Amino acid sequence: MKNWNGKPYYSLDYMLKERFNKKIYKVALNGGMTCPNRDGKIDTRGCIFCSKGGSGDFAGKGIDDITTQINNQAEILREKTNASNFIAYFQAYTNTYAPTDYLRKIYTEALSHPNIVALSIATRPDCLDKEALDLLEELNNIKPIWIELGLQTINEKTAEYIRRGYPLSCFDSAVKKLRKRGIEVIVHTILGLPGETRKDILETIHYLNNKDIQGIKLQLLHVLKDTDLAKEYELNKFEVYTMEEYIDTVIDCVEHLSNNIVIHRITGDGPKKILIAPLWSGNKKSVLNSLHHEFKVRQAYQGKKCKQK
């Protein structure tokens, strides 16, 4: 059985230690931006699952400057660990959805922080114009720049239901443009979206295996307060995974995933204050322990069932 320093999959932690020779932590930032799915350019309601915080519920306060956000979060991490270096993760909303001059200002401020080793920028593939791409390519020569794209699924019917707001061809084009400029791409997927079968989920995994991506996030679907998904859930229009169902699904995904793709997230813990379901996901340590135990029982590992074209 393959393993990456004791884990049966190519984890972010393993990759970071390989690249930087030490433990690296993330500090989640709020760049003060919005999203075309919220400001009316595409829609005003946001994606069906997205909280009021724009998926940045763990990010810093948007009223603080970037340096203050980094310092505040770094201090919290230092109290718990011996952390000394960090990745600046622009997490809240769409983090290339602003004038290029503003993007340059906040990205450069983060990059200039002595404890920051890389930037990871969460955005949409339809928010990467030439000016933004030029800037990202320039800054990538200073410190590593990673772009995280919210794909969620390749199923167009599901994409329409969750109000993703762009076609799959837009994602494909963005990946090609980013890779042409040498920028690493991390793709967000969601497991357990209403109406999706295991076959649908694995089709997304197989599709991504044949794209030039460097990382993936396998995110469990969370139902959060004050979202349209919560309204659907309250009307019993779908069911969320049990922990056993999720573990079975995520192991299946990992076994079909190319072992060259770094897994940046293999589960997720939604903010407990706004989490409606599944409540078992709030105990992240228990979920991970159960997941790793099941990997051993099944002798499963990343890429075991992968058949790339």
Side-chain angles (χ1 to χ4, degrees):
M1 181 192 299
K2 279 200 170 188
N3 75 76
W4 289 262
N5 196 28
K7 287 184 179 178
Y9 54 88
Y10 191 4
S11 70
L12 173 63
D13 185 59
Y14 181 88
M15 182 273 281
L16 291 174
K17 285 181 180 176
E18 272 194 318
R19 186 175 295 193
F20 298 105
N21 297 312
K22 63 171 66 175
K23 178 82 173 177
I24 305 292
Y25 295 83
K26 273 190 176 182
V27 289
L29 309 177
N30 187 330
M33 282 165 266
T34 182
C35 173
N37 223 0
R38 288 175 178 266
D39 70 359
K41 184 175 181 180
I42 295 174
D43 206 314
T44 58
R45 299 168 293 172
C47 292
I48 195 171
F49 52 78
C50 199
S51 69
K52 289 182 178 179
S55 298
D57 299 292
F58 296 112
K61 297 178 181 179
I63 59 173
D64 292 335
D65 61 49
I66 298 302
T67 301
T68 299
Q69 291 186 50
I70 292 172
N71 289 339
N72 287 345
Q73 292 201 46
E75 185 60 33
I76 293 171
L77 285 167
R78 288 193 189 101
E79 289 175 0
K80 299 177 180 178
T81 68
N82 61 347
S84 59
N85 291 104
F86 309 91
I87 294 167
Y89 177 28
F90 285 90
Q91 181 182 33
Y93 303 100
T94 301
N95 291 280
T96 56
Y97 192 51
T100 309
D101 288 346
Y102 178 73
L103 297 178
R104 178 181 293 278
K105 176 181 179 296
I106 61 171
Y107 296 164
T108 302
E109 184 176 351
L111 284 173
S112 64
H113 194 288
N115 300 121
I116 294 298
V117 298
L119 297 192
S120 198
I121 301 166
T123 190
R124 296 170 56 92
D126 55 355
C127 292
L128 288 164
D129 59 24
K130 183 180 182 302
E131 289 74 19
L133 289 166
D134 288 344
L135 174 62
L136 294 170
E137 182 178 18
E138 175 190 336
L139 298 179
N140 194 42
N141 291 317
I142 301 172
K143 291 179 182 178
I145 305 293
W146 305 339
I147 291 295
E148 303 196 19
L149 297 176
L151 174 66
Q152 320 314 352
T153 178
I154 66 164
N155 187 300
E156 295 287 18
K157 185 177 179 181
T158 307
E160 183 177 354
Y161 170 76
I162 64 175
R163 299 196 299 260
R164 190 178 67 191
Y166 66 83
L168 185 59
S169 58
C170 179
F171 167 81
D172 291 339
S173 176
V175 172
K176 288 177 182 177
K177 290 175 182 177
L178 288 163
R179 294 303 299 138
K180 186 177 180 180
R181 294 166 183 263
I183 298 165
E184 294 181 45
V185 176
I186 302 157
V187 180
H188 292 209
T189 63
I190 296 181
L191 310 185
L193 288 167
E196 289 224 325
T197 64
R198 180 73 63 86
K199 180 175 180 289
D200 292 324
I201 294 169
L202 290 178
E203 282 178 354
T204 293
I205 298 299
H206 295 151
Y207 188 86
L208 293 174
N209 279 339
N210 292 289
K211 296 294 172 183
D212 186 10
I213 69 167
Q214 288 62 56
I216 192 171
K217 286 186 173 180
L218 300 168
Q219 173 67 52
L220 167 67
L221 178 72
H222 289 125
V223 182
L224 304 177
K225 291 180 180 178
D226 299 320
T227 62
D228 286 344
L229 186 67
K231 296 175 185 176
E232 299 272 281
Y233 182 70
E234 288 163 5
L235 292 171
N236 297 314
K237 290 190 175 182
F238 68 95
E239 294 181 355
V240 295
Y241 282 142
T242 64
M243 187 167 75
E244 292 73 24
E245 288 171 334
Y246 177 70
I247 288 174
D248 188 55
T249 301
V250 78
I251 289 177
D252 207 7
C253 288
V254 171
E255 287 192 311
H256 283 88
L257 182 69
S258 168
N259 60 20
N260 294 319
I261 298 174
V262 179
I263 298 178
H264 285 241
R265 180 182 295 157
I266 201 164
T267 186
D269 49 340
K272 292 181 181 179
K273 290 182 179 179
I274 60 172
L275 179 65
I276 295 175
L279 293 176
W280 56 261
S281 67
N283 190 341
K284 188 175 181 180
K285 185 176 181 180
S286 173
V287 175
L288 287 173
N289 287 341
S290 298
L291 179 63
H292 291 149
H293 172 74
E294 195 62 24
F295 265 110
K296 289 181 181 178
V297 169
R298 300 186 189 191
Q299 294 189 313
Y301 56 87
Q302 185 175 341
K304 183 178 182 180
K305 299 177 181 177
C306 176
K307 296 180 181 179
Q308 288 180 261
K309 292 180 182 178

